[in-house]
Amino acid sequence: MRKKYYHAATPETMEKIIADGVVKRGWDGCVYLCEKPQDAAKFVAIRGHDEVAVIEVILPANKVKESFDHSVQFFQCKAFMYEEDIKVRPNAEVAEYSFK
């Protein structure tokens, strides 16, 4: 079964993701995701960014694992990890969030 998830980044980083066609794994070998776009945006905003871009990805649910490296009570959501680079659909929509 495939499921929708959302990945957030700064608008500049999201431009590179769209241009490259891939969300690349981070230093720890994972791409971090949420089940709702506004939840994904929280993880970038908390790092001090006023503008956040979020992209929807569809992945095999059995390959996505819950991440336990954050406070669910603080963020009011769960975070997930995917241990591979994620190819971005050519027509993927990007949502913009502003926290100004």
Side-chain angles (χ1 to χ4, degrees), residues 3-75:
K3 185 175 174 182
K4 289 181 186 180
Y5 294 94
Y6 297 88
H7 176 73
T10 62
E12 299 79 20
T13 300
M14 190 60 70
E15 285 179 22
K16 183 163 176 38
I17 288 169
I18 297 298
D20 293 346
V22 65
V23 179
K24 296 181 182 173
R25 293 175 287 169
W27 63 271
D28 59 354
C30 297
V31 175
Y32 289 90
L33 310 159
C34 286
E35 293 177 311
K36 296 179 183 174
Q38 62 272 29
D39 289 341
K42 293 177 193 177
F43 287 92
V44 177
I46 197 73
R47 289 178 174 83
H49 298 282
D50 292 335
E51 302 293 326
V52 179
V54 179
I55 192 167
E56 178 186 276
V57 295
I58 300 173
L59 300 169
N62 65 336
K63 293 183 100 180
V64 177
K65 301 174 187 174
E66 187 173 348
S67 171
F68 296 101
D69 69 342
H70 73 290
S71 170
V72 173
Q73 291 173 324
F74 178 79
F75 284 100

